[in-house]
């Protein structure tokens, strides 16, 4: 909250619920809920150096790999895999059986069963096409410059 030119502290009075067979690595930060609960579902494995913000709900049997950050009130379905250094924006819904590739920045909801990667994160097939195009860009620019020189030389 912001009032009279200063940031005000919002007291977090909720709790954290950790399901059965959950593993939490070292230096993991799990914020208690603001009013309700932050929940980590049964069988979920959380690697080292992960930030789980207030009111996040992580489903069952998820894998959250090192250096992931999940912003407040995000909801992850069951069997979600977040590879290393993924960032999930707040209030998003990540469906069941979703895989998000390393270093992806997720800024949109992801439907069930999809694989996303990139910054900003997008469906994997689209992201791979963009990466391939970027690798070709220097050669395409060189060819275009040669074409432009030739066209201007013809005038």
């Amino acid at each position: 909250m912001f009032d009279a030119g200063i940031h005000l502290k919002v007291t977090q009075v909720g709790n954290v619920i950790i399901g059965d067979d959950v593993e939490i690595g070292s230096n993991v930060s799990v914020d208690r809920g603001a009013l309700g609960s932050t929940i980590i579902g049964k069988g979920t494995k959380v690697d080292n150096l992960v930030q789980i913000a207030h009111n996040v709900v992580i489903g069952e049997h998820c894998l959250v790999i090192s250096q992931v950050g999940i912003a407040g009130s995000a909801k992850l379905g069951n069997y979600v895999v977040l590879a290393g250094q993924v960032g999930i924006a707040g209030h998003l819904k990540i469906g069941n059986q979703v895989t998000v590739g390393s270093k992806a920045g997720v800024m949109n909801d992801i439907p069930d069963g999809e694989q996303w990667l990139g910054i900003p994160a997008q469906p994997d097939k689209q992201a791979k096409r963009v990466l391939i195009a970027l690798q070709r860009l220097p050669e395409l620019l060189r060819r275009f410059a040669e074409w432009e020189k030739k066209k201007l030389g013809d005038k």
Side-chain angles (χ1 to χ4, degrees):
M1 292 179 61
F2 191 74
D3 186 37
I6 60 171
H7 293 281
L8 301 175
K9 179 172 178 54
V10 177
T11 304
Q12 308 289 293
V13 296
N15 62 355
V16 174
I17 298 172
I18 299 173
D20 291 340
D21 197 30
V22 168
E23 294 179 20
I24 297 177
S26 64
N27 294 312
V28 171
S29 178
V30 181
D31 294 346
R32 69 192 302 171
L35 297 172
S37 300
T38 299
I39 301 170
I40 302 175
K42 78 175 181 180
T44 290
K45 311 302 182 211
V46 181
D47 199 3
N48 304 326
L49 299 164
V50 170
Q51 163 64 34
I52 300 169
H54 64 278
N55 296 89
V56 166
V57 175
I58 299 177
E60 297 180 358
H61 305 287
C62 295
L63 298 176
V64 181
I65 299 163
S66 185
Q67 297 181 342
V68 164
I70 306 171
S73 299
K75 300 205 178 328
L76 280 63
N78 298 324
Y79 300 96
V80 170
V81 176
L82 302 179
Q85 296 184 334
V86 164
I88 306 286
H91 303 274
L92 295 182
K93 183 179 183 315
I94 310 302
N96 295 312
Q97 297 180 328
V98 166
T99 299
V100 181
S102 295
K103 295 189 177 188
V106 179
M107 295 181 258
N108 298 93
D109 292 347
I110 301 177
D112 289 351
E114 294 198 4
Q115 296 178 349
W116 282 40
L117 49 103
I119 304 169
Q122 52 195 315
D124 66 334
K125 289 179 182 166
Q126 182 177 343
K128 289 173 185 175
R129 290 184 72 191
V130 169
L131 289 171
I132 290 167
L134 281 173
Q135 291 174 342
R136 295 185 59 209
L137 190 57
E139 173 62 18
L140 291 172
L141 289 172
R142 184 193 62 74
R143 288 174 47 200
F144 179 75
E146 287 175 6
W147 175 83
E148 202 171 36
K149 247 189 239 182
K150 182 179 175 190
K151 281 296 184 190
L152 290 175
D154 290 347
K155 289 185 179 184

